[in-house]
Amino acid sequence: VLLVVYVSYVGLGAGVLRALERPAEVQAAQHLLQQHWELLANYTCLQGPALQQFIEGIIQAYKSGITLQGNTTSLGRWDFSGSFFFSISAITTIGYGNLSPSTAAGRIFCIVFALFGIPLNLVLLNEIGQLMLLGVQRCAHCLEEVFHWQKKASPLIKTCALVTGLLLFLLLPPLLFSDKEGWSYEGGFYYSFITLSTIGFGDYVIGMNPDRTYPGWYKNVISLWILFGMAWLALIIKFCINFLE
């Protein structure tokens, strides 16, 4: 029965997403094809295969973190802050997919690094989650002693913890992303949940816009936000699992 419910739920998601996203995909493909033919028509010196090869080169360079800016190229995805953020996304299994090692040595190191880093990350998240849960329980115990609330303290504290977590990890961070990245609030909220749930599609990633200047603390603060936010969301998911079971 559970397997049937699971497959039905996934099928429902597939049907809804197809209905919502397929028309936009078709429209984008038609627009790209139109731009392709207009470019070849306006610049007759260009040839189809050469243009296709150049486009593929740009895509490959972008995946490596290199973008064209006039007559120069922008680097910076593999500086220390960028590499630190990539390391966080690797061992937390977020895996945005917008950046990956291009050398054989880098790929081998990434395998070994993740092999030991993923268990270490799980242990750390478990400890952080337990500390958060312990803090909630202590607050509930203090309220019970001070106000003699035997039954109301625990639900009240859990509600406050839920609201506080929503503010700190899902509702307030999009404001920072709107300021630093230029995203809409909806885009920042979407990025927050996709990141903390470790889905990590990679369509929204912080610190990747070559036209913006980011402060040095930005990626480090976001890395801490990811750690604590994942621990908080893991507790919420655990409560949901207990409810479903």
Side-chain angles (χ1 to χ4, degrees), residues 134-144 153 157:
L134 182 61
V136 171
Q137 292 173 348
R138 286 183 176 178
C139 290
H141 183 66
C142 290
L143 284 178
E144 289 175 356
I157 288 296

Side-chain angles (χ1 to χ4, degrees), residues 146-207:
V146 173
F147 298 100
H148 303 289
W149 291 346
Q150 297 298 324
K151 297 182 178 180
K152 297 180 180 180
S154 182
L156 180 62
I157 288 296
K158 289 180 179 179
T159 302
C160 291
L162 175 62
V163 173
T164 303
L166 281 173
L167 287 174
L168 291 178
F169 301 121
L170 288 179
L171 298 180
L172 292 181
L175 298 177
L176 176 63
F177 300 141
S178 297
D179 178 58
K180 299 301 180 183
E181 305 288 344
W183 300 340
S184 64
Y185 184 86
E186 174 270 332
F189 182 82
Y190 166 80
Y191 167 78
S192 299
F193 181 80
I194 293 300
T195 295
L196 297 184
S197 60
T198 72
I199 297 174
F201 289 125
D203 49 352
Y204 282 80
V205 184
I206 62 135

Side-chain angles (χ1 to χ4, degrees), residues 19-215:
L20 293 175
E21 297 297 330
R22 184 67 175 178
E25 180 188 32
V26 173
Q27 184 179 1
Q30 293 174 346
H31 181 65
L32 177 62
L33 190 60
Q34 181 181 357
Q35 286 184 316
H36 174 78
W37 289 115
E38 286 179 355
L39 184 63
L40 289 177
N42 293 331
Y43 299 92
T44 55
C45 59
L46 289 176
Q47 296 180 351
L51 178 60
Q52 183 67 25
Q53 185 178 4
F54 179 66
I55 292 174
E56 291 175 356
I58 292 177
I59 293 174
Q60 187 61 39
Y62 181 78
K63 289 181 178 179
S64 301
I66 303 171
T67 56
L68 285 172
Q69 290 182 319
N71 294 324
T72 61
T73 56
S74 67
L75 302 173
R77 291 192 178 185
W78 286 114
D79 58 9
F80 184 79
S81 62
S83 301
F84 185 84
F85 188 74
F86 172 81
S87 299
I88 289 287
S89 67
I91 64 174
T92 54
T93 68
I94 295 174
Y96 291 112
N98 69 310
L99 187 63
S100 58
S102 59
T103 63
R107 290 168 181 168
I108 293 173
F109 174 77
C110 189
I111 293 173
V112 177
F113 180 74
L115 185 64
F116 293 96
I118 291 174
L120 177 63
N121 177 73
L122 292 175
V123 171
L124 177 62
L125 289 181
N126 182 64
E127 291 297 322
I128 293 175
Q130 292 299 324
L131 287 175
M132 289 180 174
L133 190 59
L134 182 61
V136 171
Q137 292 173 348
R138 286 183 176 178
C139 290
H141 183 66
C142 290
L143 284 178
E144 289 175 356
E145 289 184 346
V146 173
F147 298 100
H148 303 289
W149 291 346
Q150 297 298 324
K151 297 182 178 180
K152 297 180 180 180
S154 182
L156 180 62
I157 288 296
K158 289 180 179 179
T159 302
C160 291
L162 175 62
V163 173
T164 303
L166 281 173
L167 287 174
L168 291 178
F169 301 121
L170 288 179
L171 298 180
L172 292 181
L175 298 177
L176 176 63
F177 300 141
S178 297
D179 178 58
K180 299 301 180 183
E181 305 288 344
W183 300 340
S184 64
Y185 184 86
E186 174 270 332
F189 182 82
Y190 166 80
Y191 167 78
S192 299
F193 181 80
I194 293 300
T195 295
L196 297 184
S197 60
T198 72
I199 297 174
F201 289 125
D203 49 352
Y204 282 80
V205 184
I206 62 135
M208 296 299 174
N209 190 342
D211 298 326
R212 288 182 173 267
T213 302
Y214 300 99

